[in-house]
Structure formats: C-alpha cells, structure tokens
Amino acid sequence: MIIAGLAVAGTLAGGLVTLAARAEDDRGPATTPAAVAGDATGTDSPARARTGLGGRSAPADGAAPAQPDPAGAKAGGGSIGNLADLAPASVAYLTGRYRISPTEAARRLALQELSAPLATRLAGQFPAQYGGMWLDQTAGGVLTIGATDAAPLRTAVAGVPDAAHVRVAPVRNSLARLTAAATRLAGTLGGVAGTDVVVDQRANEVVVLTGDRIDGQDARLADALSAAGVPARAQARVAGASIEKACDPRYCAQAPMRGGIRLDVPRDDGTVGGCTTGFNVVGKGGVSYVLTAGHCVVGGRHQHVDRTWHQYLGPKVRVGVESTAPVLAENAYPTDYAIMPYQTGVIDRWAYPLRKTGPVPSLVNYWCVKDNPRCTSSRDIAITGYVPVADIQVGWVVCATGSAYTPAPGEVYVDSGAGAGYVPGTRCGEITGKTSGGIDVRICARPGDSGGPLFTEAGGKALGILSNGDPGTGPCTNPDEHNSYAPVSTILDRANAVTGGTRGLQLATRGPLLVRTRP
C-alpha cells in the first residue's frame, strides 16, 4: 500500500525506481527545470529521460542511474509519495467513482506515475513482444501490459513497485507492428499517422479516423483496411452529437498569464464569443505566446484577424492577436490550435516583472468548484513539461480547467452558452481513450471551456487543450460525459512543421517573461 512518506523500491529492468522523492542524492543537488541550460521549456518526450515514481529515470542496462527529475521528485512542492496531499481532486475522483479508500487511490496514482517510463522502457527493450499498456481502473487499478510473448515481459516487470497490480496479458500484435501498419495505412489514404490513423492499444488494433483528411466514403478505404495486416477499423473522428465548446471565461486580469482564464473574441458579425487559455508557449528569443483552441479564431465568422480580450464588456483588457505571418491557427481536430502572440505592448501587463526575484514558473489556474469536492483551496499549478500523446494512457486520472459561464439575470457579461448553474473552474476525471486521434476524457465541460488546459495534478504535466465533446448545458449531472482534447505534442509538432521550425515553438515552463531588446 502507498501512504504518505512511504518508500518502496523495486527493480525496473535493471534500474532502480523509488517511490520516495529525493531533492538530492549522492551525486549532489537536483537541478530545477528552469536551471537546466537556461531552458524555459519542458517535455517528457521519448528522447529524454523518463521519471520513475520517485523522480529517478530508469537507466539503460549497465548504465548508472540518471539524475533525479525534480518535476517528479518534488511535483507540486512535495514528495511524489504524498499523492493524497499533492493530488486531492484526483484522489477524490477515484474514491467517489470506484468507492475506494484514499490510500488505495494514492496507490493507483503512484502506479500511473510509473506507467509512462515503464512503457518507454518495454517498447525499447522488447519491440517484437510489447503490445501496449493501459491502466484498468474498473479491474482494481491494474496496469495491464499487452504482450505477444508474455514470459520475457513478466520477468522484466517482476520487480517493479506495486508489481502485484501489474498484469501481462496476451495480445496478437506488438505495438511496433501496429504502429508500422498505421503508418502504411496513413500513406495509402493520404492521412497522417498518429493523427488520422491511430493505434488503440487496449483493443490491439488500428483505427482510421474519417471526416477530415480521410473521407469515410473513400473507395480505397475498405481495401486498405483489409490489407492492413493487423486488425483495423474505420470510425468517424467526431461523433455527430459532438459540439464545439466555444465562448468565454471570467475574471483573472493579473499577471502572470496562466492557463484556464477567460478570453473573449469579437466575431465578424459584431457578436462576441470566447474561449479559455490553455498553456504558455515560448519561441526563439524568448517570444511569448498564448495557446488556445483554433476554432475560437478560425471559422465562418472569423474571416478578419481576431484580437482577444479578457472581459470584453469591461474592463476590456487586451490579450492576444491571431497570428498571420505565419498563420499559427487551425480548426481541424486534433490540430485545433491557435498560438497567439500578444497585442502590441500588452506583454508588459501579462508577464512577470522584469526584475522579479525567485521562481517564475508557467502556471495553470486551479479553481475550486462545488463538484470538485476535495478542492478546498484554489491555487496555481506550475507546468513542468508535457507528455507526448503516444505516452498518455487510458485510465490515467487528470484535471482540466475551463472558464465557461452564463450570467445571472441583469448581469453584464458575455454569455458563453454554458447554461445557468454551470460553475467555471477545475474538474478531474479519467482518460477513456485516444481513438479520436486526441485525448478522450470523462470530465464535464461546457461551451466557453474550449482551449482550456488538461494536465496532471501532482506532476504538473501538460497533456492537451479542449476541442470538442458531448453536448450539455447547466450543472454537471452526467457522470459519463465525455470530451476530447487536442494533444499538446500534436499541436507543437504541427506548428513547428508549418513554420519549418523557424519559430522554435515550445511549451513554456517559465514565464511569460519580459524580453527587452536593445534599440
């Protein structure tokens, strides 16, 4: 059982993974994300070391253990072992939905932290046998690993922490084989692997998503599915009942800019809509941007260059402007993004002061709402990096912030269409799939939450921004409501491809900061 302060160590294919956090070890103090080569960005990409439960990366066989990762070791300012304290809303979601104790919920969250580095390691060591991974909450918080040959993977995971809740299950196809088939299918059908043709690890099959680049009526589709060499199916990317969640946020006009606050967007026809800020983005030279959903500024009523505002009906604070040179906005899930530079002179208002001392983390707003019962103190969460969509797993417990709102009678405020009784703020829930090409979650959201951030509560890892989902209005009464998030990794890859890498766009883990240039 995982309890606050408990240390549990186990072997991860030859490397040590520790459930107790360390600020430093025998090699000296751990560095902070902001101190690494002056980097203002962060990612848990496969090319970088992956953090174990206690902040240690699993080393290659025979290699010395990697330096501890402070994002894992002291996520949210405390030990990763103290998950009941670090992630109270995630614990509340698990205890409420699955009727388990807070201690059991913390154990499951600890296993979740282990899963991404473990998946990377197994995929690298056993490419022909490893078939994917998912966290099965309904089966008792069991991490299930698919394997075409179970024996070597069972041996590899026998000593991991909480091994009693790690199960190896037989599957027909390795993840490498499924991924290769997805790449071939995408090429045949004119789509993009990982976006239009994805791997469903739990089902051990490939899914072709129709409705965007790939037409569901494409005459090549049936033959391509039959010739895939692995189980493959086609489905519409977005269900017909889904709606875009576009409109507006609430009150938070003080620096620094953070994810989860209101953006109002005037339309061409004189009406005003709005969305929610997602994450801070930084480019070459320290240029700052705000990330939100692309459909907020791209569409039939957005033919002009859009400017965004905080509280358009007053005090009307300027924020960003739609990028046009180059265009950094698209309205096509899962590349539903707008990376917006600040309006001229506005960065001074939203950035940390020029001579600020102390930490300058990039933040998301964690705002307590009544249907997030374990949240008793609203706060900011520091974003320490992002998790690539390929590494995000079904069953993870995650949180999202939105700012949709419908004003009370007589209140002067732009109505987002959220419906009376919906309270903007942070809610937590479960990842249920990635077969939309993005991240599907069981978390309530309303029109006006679009662009809002999806993140891990304890580690401060960015995952995606809200794009679309189930229709709904008013209070969150449907426990099985689903919404879909465009992955941060997909967005950054796409935006950098569009610009040829000239902007060097990255998720910010610091700032935004004032950048003074010499005249």
Side-chain angles (χ1 to χ4, degrees):
M1 306 292 282
I2 307 302
I3 59 176
L6 177 64
V8 181
T11 303
L12 173 56
L16 183 67
V17 176
T18 307
L19 283 175
R22 290 184 177 180
E24 58 183 63
D25 61 22
D26 56 358
R27 290 181 298 277
T31 55
T32 64
V36 179
D39 192 7
T41 67
T43 173
D44 275 349
S45 67
R48 299 197 180 191
R50 302 306 181 121
T51 306
L53 290 178
R56 286 187 181 273
S57 302
D61 291 343
Q67 286 288 89
D69 177 355
K74 301 205 72 178
S79 167
I80 200 68
N82 299 327
L83 282 168
D85 297 326
L86 287 173
S90 298
V91 169
Y93 169 80
L94 288 170
T95 57
R97 184 167 186 88
Y98 296 105
R99 299 294 186 260
I100 58 177
S101 69
T103 300
E104 166 63 9
R107 179 199 68 76
R108 296 187 184 194
L109 291 173
L111 192 59
Q112 173 175 316
E113 292 292 319
L114 169 67
S115 60
L118 179 59
T120 299
R121 191 154 185 83
L122 295 178
Q125 289 187 330
F126 306 99
Q129 294 85 27
Y130 175 64
M133 181 185 296
W134 61 93
L135 187 54
D136 195 339
Q137 301 287 6
T138 59
V142 174
L143 184 63
T144 304
I145 300 168
T148 60
D149 181 358
L153 272 78
R154 286 198 178 106
T155 300
V157 302
V160 300
D162 202 12
H165 292 91
V166 178
R167 181 175 71 96
V168 177
V171 295
R172 294 188 59 183
N173 299 285
S174 68
L175 181 59
R177 186 181 183 196
L178 292 170
T179 302
T183 300
R184 291 193 302 270
L185 267 173
T188 299
L189 298 171
V192 177
T195 299
D196 304 304
V197 185
V198 300
V199 174
D200 185 342
Q201 295 187 31
R202 189 166 189 167
N204 199 237
E205 63 185 10
V206 171
V207 182
V208 176
L209 301 171
T210 62
D212 293 320
R213 294 184 186 90
I214 300 176
D215 189 338
Q217 304 303 313
D218 191 322
R220 302 170 296 174
L221 183 57
D223 288 343
L225 292 172
S226 298
V230 298
R233 60 185 171 87
Q235 69 176 43
R237 186 191 297 280
V238 179
S242 295
I243 58 170
E244 291 180 345
K245 297 190 178 300
C247 272
D248 68 275
R250 297 234 295 197
Y251 317 100
C252 189
Q254 66 269 21
M257 171 59 70
R258 67 208 73 196
I261 73 167
R262 170 195 181 105
L263 284 180
D264 287 333
V265 187
R267 304 186 182 103
D268 299 350
D269 59 9
T271 62
V272 180
C275 285
T276 301
T277 57
F279 298 100
N280 291 309
V281 172
V282 64
K284 290 181 179 179
V287 178
S288 294
Y289 302 84
V290 179
L291 174 64
T292 191
H295 67 255
C296 301
V297 297
V298 177
R301 291 192 287 178
H302 295 281
Q303 300 302 308
H304 300 156
V305 175
D306 286 310
R307 297 180 181 273
T308 61
W309 310 76
H310 186 66
Q311 297 172 253
Y312 185 78
L313 298 181
K316 198 173 183 180
V317 180
R318 292 186 298 157
V319 185
V321 59
E322 183 180 355
S323 172
T324 58
V327 174
L328 294 175
E330 294 183 64
N331 182 5
Y333 183 77
T335 52
D336 182 6
Y337 70 94
I339 298 175
M340 307 186 74
Y342 288 87
Q343 294 182 39
T344 302
V346 171
I347 185 63
D348 298 63
R349 180 185 183 106
W350 292 106
Y352 283 98
L354 186 62
R355 292 179 176 82
K356 167 115 172 30
T357 60
V360 286
S362 180
L363 305 172
V364 294
N365 187 27
Y366 192 108
W367 185 255
C368 295
V369 289
K370 61 185 178 183
D371 48 6
N372 187 351
R374 285 293 297 276
C375 182
T376 57
S377 178
S378 297
R379 62 196 187 276
D380 291 319
I381 289 182
I383 293 300
T384 61
Y386 69 90
V387 182
V389 64
D391 294 347
I392 296 169
Q393 295 167 20
V394 171
W396 281 12
V397 178
V398 295
C399 300
T401 299
S403 51
Y405 187 60
T406 287
E411 184 179 4
V412 179
Y413 207 87
V414 177
D415 189 347
S416 75
Y422 178 74
V423 181
T426 305
R427 296 169 172 85
C428 300
E430 185 177 340
I431 294 178
T432 60
K434 297 190 296 181
T435 56
S436 66
I439 309 164
D440 305 319
V441 301
R442 189 185 286 118
I443 299 177
C444 177
R446 295 288 177 263
D449 290 334
S450 282
L454 183 73
F455 55 94
T456 61
E457 185 180 18
K461 290 293 189 291
L463 303 178
I465 60 172
L466 180 63
S467 179
N468 61 72
D470 289 343
T473 185
C476 297
T477 57
N478 178 7
D480 289 316
E481 178 180 336
H482 278 74
N483 292 288
S484 297
Y485 286 73
V488 166
S489 60
T490 301
I491 290 169
L492 292 175
D493 287 347
R494 174 63 175 172
N496 281 309
V498 167
T499 60
T502 58
R503 294 298 177 100
L505 299 168
Q506 302 179 64
L507 180 79
T509 56
R510 301 175 64 218
L513 302 170
L514 285 174
V515 178
R516 297 299 192 197
T517 57
R518 294 179 179 177

